[in-house]
Amino acid sequence: MNSTEIKRFLPLVRRPARYIGGEVNSIKKDLARVRLKFGMAFPDAYEVGMSHLGIQILYQTLNADANIACERVFAPWTDMELVLREKGARLSTLESGIPLDGLDILGFSLQYEMSYTNVLNMLDLGGVPLYTTQRESRHPFVIGGGPIVYNPEPVAEFFDAFLLGDGEEAVIEISYAVIEGREKGEDRADILKRLSKIKGVYVPSFFEVEYNSDKTVKKVVPLFESYKTVRKRIIPDINALNLPERPVVPFMETIHDRVTVEITRGCTRSCRFCQAGMIYRPARERKPELIERLVENALKNTGYDEVSLLSLSAGDYTGIEGLLSMLMRRLVEKNVALSLPSLRVGTLNATLAKEIKKVRKTGFTLAPEAGSERLRQLINKGISEADLLKCSSEIFSLGWRSLKLYFMIGLPTETDDDVNEITRLAACVKKIGREASNGRAPQLNAAAATFIPKPFTPFQWEPQLPYAECVRKQALLKKSLTARKIDFKWHDPRMSILEGVFSRGDRRLSKVLVNAFKKGCRFDGWSEQFNFSVWEGVFREEDVDMAFYTSRRRPLDEVFPWDHLDAGINKDFLLKELKNALELSYTPDCKVDKCSACGVCDHKTVKNIVANAKDDIEKTVGAPSGLYETGKQGLEAHKLKFAFSKTGDMRFLGHLELVTAVTRAFRRAGLSVKYSEGFHPLPKFVFSQPLPVGVESVDEWLVAELEGERVRPDDVAGRLNKELPEGLRILSGAYLPLKVNHSSGIIKEVEYLAFLNGGPEGEYLPLSGLNIMPESIDGILREFLNKDFAVVSVVREGKPPAEVDIRPLVAGLSRTGEGTLKLVLKKSQSVSVRPSDVLAHIFSLSLREASLIPVLKIKTIQ
C-alpha cells in the first residue's frame, strides 16, 4: 500500500494534518530527474520537527541542488503507527511518498536522547533493518546529526555514520559521496570509507570498543590508522551561507509557529552546565543587513505574523538594541510581532522590552538557573540577584503581568539551602511584580528541571542527582512555592534518569533500546506516553545498571565512550573549568574579553565573528522595504465575501488550521487586511461554520475586511488562488456594504453527498470495504426514513457522550446514483451532528468505519 492509498485511512487518526504534506514552500521534485533521494527524518511528532530550524535550513540547502531530492518524514503518532501496521504500509516521505527503504540516505536530526526508540520505530516501519550489519546494498545509508551525536554510542550500532558539527556544506559532500559510490557500483563498506574522509563524519563501525572488568571503557580502538579521531565540522562564517528564505509553512500549529531567524550561531559565555555553549563554539554573528533581508523575504514567502530571533543568547548579539529598532520600524505596520526566546538576565533592558511590545507582548522567560548566588557562580552564569530583580522590575513596569522563571536542581555541590533560595528569589520577583502593578499580583511561573551532566562540559565527570533525592527536592519546592501562590512545574525525574543514562552511555545500551522498542516504548519524551516501569524491566532483563551511568562520579582519568570524538574543546580546558567551578572562579566571555584557551579557535579561519552592528544598522535603518507598503493605518476599509472550496487533502484541516492557512495566503498575496484593536490584534475575517475534519466542500464562504484601494473581486481572488495550497480555491467574490454584519451561525440546513462507492471517481474506498450490499441500500434508507426516532451516542473529543435523536435532524435522504447518497441535515442549536454519526446508524457501522465514507458538502441553506 502506497502513501496515496494510506491517506484513505487518515480519518482514523487524531491529527491528520501531520501526514498530508503539500505545505506552502514544500518541494516535490521529479524523482526520475535526480541522482539521489535524501530523507530528512525527525524522530518526533510533526509539530515538534517542523519547529526545528535545522530541518528547514538543510531541507532548503539540499533541494537547492538539482541532483538531490530531499523529502521529510516524521515519527508517526501511535494512532498512525497502528494504521500503518494494520494495513501493511511502509512509513514514507511526505512529498512523494517514498518508502524509507527506497531512499539513498536517511538522515536523522537527533536533538534529544528520549527520541531513540522513535528512531528504531521509524526504521522498522520504513522497512530498514535496525542494525547496520543487517543492511544490504539496496538499503539507505542511515546518518545522524545534531547535538546528541557528540556521544552517539548508545545508538552507534543502528547508524552507518554521524555528522558532528555544522551541516550546510557537509550534507552536500555526504550526498555526492553516496552518489558517486553507488554510480560506480561500490559496496557499502567502500562508500563508508568515502564518507569517513569527509571532515566531521564519524563511521562507528570503523572503531571497536574494549571494556574493563568494572564495566568502564578501556579504550576505543580505530580499525584504520588514518582514521583515529573525528573532529567536528565548523562553518567559520555563517554570513557566507545562502539564506533560508523559503521555510515550509505547516498547516497545523507547531511548537514554534513563526519565522525563525538565526542571528548568532554559538555562544562563548562558558556556562559550565551547558553543552550547547561548548559544542557550538565559536560565536558567529550574522550581519544586520542579512538579518533584515532574511526577515523581509521569509515573511513575504510564508505569511507568518511573528518573527523570532534565534540564538543561544539573543541579548548578547552586538548592537541588539539597534537591530530590534531597525526591524520593528518595518514590522509594526504589518502587525508582525517579534520575540526573543533566549534572553539572558542582564541583557534585557527597557529599550528592548519597549521594542518587543510594539505589536503585542510576546512572552518572557528568564533563566537564573540556580537560586543561590553561590551556585550561579559555580556554573559561571555571570548574573547576580540584583540583575534578575532589575530585569524583572523593567518587565513588569512596562505592562507585562506574567513571567516564567527557569531553574535547575541537582547542580554539583547543591544543598537544601540552595534549593530554598529558589523559593526566596521567586518570591522577591513576585513582590516586585505586585509593586509595579499597584498591588495586583502577577502571574509567576517557576519551573525546575533536573540537571543532567552532558559530554564535553566541565561537569561531565559529575554524578547526576539520584531519583529519590530528586523527588525530595521537588517536594520541597512544591510545598514552599505553592504556599506563596507561585505556580510550579517540574520535569519527571524518571525521565531525567533515563536521559542521563543515554547522555553518557556506551554501545552496550543498544540491546536495551531494542528491547524497549519491541515492548512498545515510543515518544518517551512525552509524559502521556512515557512508561518507566517498562524501562526498568528492560534494564533488569539486559542486566544493565542505570545508576552506573548516572549516579557515580567519574575519575578524572576515566576513558569516556566519546573520547575518540573531538568537539574542538580541549579536555584540559574542561578540567580547568571544573576546578574553577569548585573554586567559584569566573571565566569571562571570550567574545568581549581575553581568549579562554578552550581549543576551538585557530584565530585565523575559525574564530569569533562579531557583526559590525552599529555601522551596518545605520546604513540599513532608513532603507525602504516592499514588505511594509501595505497595512497602514487610516486607509479606507471595505468588505468582500468570497465563496471557496475545500477539497482533496485540505479536507483534513481543522477549522483553526483552515483559518490560519487562509490568513497567511492573504499576507503572502500582499492584501492589506484590517485588524482588530487591543492587546492581540486579529485579522477581521468571518468564516462559514466549521466543517467536520475529513469532509470536503464546494460551498464555503468567508468575509474579509480589507483596507486601501478597492480592487476588482476577481483580481483579489486571482491573487489569493496563486497563494492558496492545492485543495483550497476561491470560486467567486463580491463587495458587501461595510456596515452589514455577517454571522456564520444563521444556517437552516446543509446538503451532503456521501460516496459509498469510494468518492466521486471511486478513488477513496470501495463499497465492499464497508460490507454494504448495493442491492440493499434502498431498503435500508426506507427503513430509516420510516422511523419515528433514532437515538445515537454522539462522541466528541474532550466531552462526555451525548444521546441524540438524529431522526428529526435528517431533512432528506435519498440515493442519487449507484452508491451515492444525498443527505440533508438540519442545523441544531443544541447539538452538532455530523454526517458520519448518521451514516454509522443507518448502515450499522462503527464511527470508525463510517468516518471512512467520503462526504462532500454541496449546499448550505440559510
Side-chain angles (χ1 to χ4, degrees), residues 271-292:
C271 295
R272 294 171 181 134
F273 64 89
C274 181
Q275 185 187 44
M278 297 294 172
I279 64 175
Y280 290 135
R281 292 179 172 215
R284 291 147 288 168
E285 295 182 346
R286 180 165 269 138
K287 294 179 180 179
E289 66 267 27
L290 295 181
I291 295 172
E292 195 273 343

Side-chain angles (χ1 to χ4, degrees), residues 39-168:
M40 183 64 66
F42 198 95
D44 210 324
Y46 173 93
E47 59 269 29
V48 178
M50 284 306 298
S51 298
H52 181 59
L53 180 60
I55 287 283
Q56 296 273 17
I57 290 173
L58 294 182
Y59 181 79
Q60 294 174 71
T61 298
L62 286 160
N63 277 314
D65 191 301
N67 290 317
I68 302 170
C70 179
E71 304 198 347
R72 296 160 297 139
V73 61
F74 301 90
W77 197 253
T78 52
D79 54 359
M80 187 60 176
E81 179 190 346
L82 180 63
V83 170
L84 291 171
R85 294 195 184 279
E86 281 184 349
K87 307 304 176 186
R90 289 271 199 261
L91 179 62
S92 304
T93 60
L94 285 178
E95 283 78 0
S96 302
I98 307 169
L100 300 195
D101 60 351
L103 296 164
D104 297 298
I105 296 175
L106 179 58
F108 279 93
S109 175
L110 300 175
Q111 302 295 316
Y112 185 29
E113 293 88 350
M114 300 299 283
S115 67
Y116 281 157
T117 54
N118 281 357
V119 171
L120 299 184
N121 194 37
M122 292 174 73
L123 292 174
D124 187 60
L125 287 169
V128 180
L130 300 187
Y131 289 95
T132 59
T133 53
Q134 299 171 339
R135 292 176 197 146
E136 301 173 356
S137 59
R138 66 181 181 87
H139 289 121
F141 287 88
V142 180
I143 301 175
I148 63 176
V149 305
Y150 285 91
N151 177 30
E153 295 305 286
V155 290
E157 295 182 13
F158 314 127
F159 281 82
D160 296 291
F162 296 97
L163 172 64
L164 279 65
D166 297 329
E168 289 94 334

Side-chain angles (χ1 to χ4, degrees), residues 389 392-393 395-397 400-401 403 426-444:
L389 298 182
S392 302
S393 177
I395 291 171
F396 288 127
S397 61
W400 271 267
R401 294 293 173 261
L403 183 63
C428 289
V429 172
K430 184 174 182 179
K431 180 182 178 182
I432 287 173
R434 185 187 295 275
E435 291 171 351
S437 307
N438 297 319
R440 180 182 171 190
Q443 179 66 42
L444 188 64

Side-chain angles (χ1 to χ4, degrees), residues 68 190 204 210 223 256-257 259 323 331-332 370 398 478 492 537 540 615 660 806 840:
I68 302 170
D190 287 335
E210 297 179 6
L223 301 185
H256 304 301
D257 209 16
V259 167
L323 177 66
L331 296 178
V332 66
L398 285 168
K478 184 178 181 181
D492 187 333
R540 282 194 300 268
D615 292 343
T660 300
I806 62 171

Side-chain angles (χ1 to χ4, degrees), residues 194-228:
R194 282 179 175 268
L195 292 174
S196 70
K197 295 176 183 177
I198 298 171
K199 187 172 183 179
V201 172
Y202 166 44
V203 180
S205 61
F206 289 178
F207 295 83
E208 292 181 350
V209 183
E210 297 179 6
Y211 298 93
N212 295 308
S213 59
D214 64 357
K215 299 182 180 181
T216 59
V217 174
K218 182 178 181 180
K219 59 181 176 179
V220 180
V221 182
L223 301 185
F224 300 98
E225 186 66 25
S226 61
Y227 191 59
K228 292 183 177 181

Side-chain angles (χ1 to χ4, degrees), residues 273 408 450-454 464 491 495-497 499-500 503:
F273 64 89
M408 288 184 289
T450 304
F451 167 64
I452 301 171
K454 296 282 185 174
Q464 184 174 331
H491 195 66
M495 206 177 286
S496 299
I497 291 294
E499 181 184 345
S503 292

Side-chain angles (χ1 to χ4, degrees), residues 454-524:
K454 296 282 185 174
F456 295 104
T457 67
F459 295 149
Q460 64 182 349
W461 290 274
E462 291 294 305
Q464 184 174 331
L465 193 67
Y467 171 75
E469 188 67 359
C470 183
V471 171
R472 187 186 69 81
K473 290 186 176 184
Q474 287 179 341
L476 280 177
L477 284 173
K478 184 178 181 181
K479 181 179 180 180
S480 58
L481 286 168
T482 53
R484 291 163 176 78
K485 296 183 180 180
I486 297 171
D487 291 339
F488 176 54
K489 294 182 179 180
W490 62 93
H491 195 66
D492 187 333
R494 301 166 302 173
M495 206 177 286
S496 299
I497 291 294
L498 200 59
E499 181 184 345
V501 169
F502 292 114
S503 292
R504 294 187 288 176
D506 52 46
R507 295 188 183 186
R508 290 170 298 188
L509 292 174
S510 61
K511 60 185 180 181
V512 175
L513 284 166
V514 171
N515 194 340
F517 156 66
K518 289 180 177 178
K519 283 182 163 56
C521 290
R522 311 280 192 275
F523 291 98
D524 297 296

